[in-house]
């Protein structure tokens, strides 16, 4: 038994041999089964793109200014800054990735006082 395990470890069996096929099968099982059983720290992107396009410009430093339509952000009037920051961050993820940091924001309104667009200063 010890000799068989040592042979598996050092991969000494010739191709086409039963033990060679077992080793290849174990490697393939590891590759295709472990992502379903083990959290490797990556997460698949489930992107929900906004209804309207976003515009991105540089802020002149290391960040960016992203303009979103107000309808793409679900924020109620009077929500605390922490909630607004979180909602804006989620809205920016499809464009800027999940490591985006929202520094500040402005909400512009039309002549009737209705929300029109968000201007968000962010960086990665």
């Amino acid at each position: 038994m010890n000799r068989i395990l040592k042979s598996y470890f050092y991969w000494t069996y010739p191709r086409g041999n039963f033990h060679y096929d077992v080793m290849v099968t174990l490697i393939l099982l590891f590759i295709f089964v472990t992502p379903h059983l083990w959290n490797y720290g990556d997460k698949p992107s489930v992107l929900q793109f906004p209804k309207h396009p976003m515009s991105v410009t540089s802020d002149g430093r290391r960040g960016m200014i992203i303009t979103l339509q107000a309808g793409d952000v679900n924020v109620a009037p009077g929500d605390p800054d922490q909630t607004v920051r979180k909602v804006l961050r989620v809205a920016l993820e499809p464009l800027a990735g999940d490591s985006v940091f929202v520094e500040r924001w402005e909400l512009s309104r039309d002549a009737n006082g209705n929300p029109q667009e968000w201007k968000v200063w962010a960086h990665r």
Side-chain angles (χ1 to χ4, degrees), residues 10-97:
Y10 290 112
W11 197 283
T12 59
Y13 292 103
R15 189 181 279 182
N17 191 328
F18 171 76
H19 296 288
Y20 183 92
D21 293 342
V22 169
M23 289 187 290
V24 170
T25 303
L26 290 175
I27 290 170
L28 289 173
L29 281 173
F30 178 80
I31 291 171
F32 291 111
V33 173
T34 57
H36 298 286
L37 304 174
W38 192 322
N39 181 10
Y40 286 107
D42 57 347
K43 66 176 187 177
S45 321
V46 179
L47 299 178
Q48 294 180 354
F49 289 100
K51 300 173 202 150
H52 306 96
M54 298 182 207
S55 67
V56 181
T57 56
S58 173
D59 69 352
R61 300 174 305 182
R62 61 185 178 100
M64 55 192 146
I65 302 170
I66 303 170
T67 305
L68 302 143
Q69 296 297 317
D72 292 336
V73 180
N74 189 15
V75 176
D79 278 349
D81 285 354
Q82 186 175 8
T83 303
V84 174
R85 178 175 276 118
K86 184 177 180 181
V87 171
L88 288 172
R89 183 179 176 275
V90 169
L92 297 179
E93 278 184 5
L95 178 71

Side-chain angles (χ1 to χ4, degrees), residues 55 65-73 75 84 88 104-121:
S55 67
I65 302 170
I66 303 170
T67 305
L68 302 143
Q69 296 297 317
D72 292 336
V73 180
V75 176
V84 174
L88 288 172
R104 63 186 174 104
W105 57 88
E106 290 178 1
L107 176 62
S108 63
R109 298 182 179 271
D110 63 9
N112 296 328
N114 298 322
Q116 191 170 11
E117 64 183 19
W118 290 89
K119 189 178 277 193
V120 182
W121 284 261

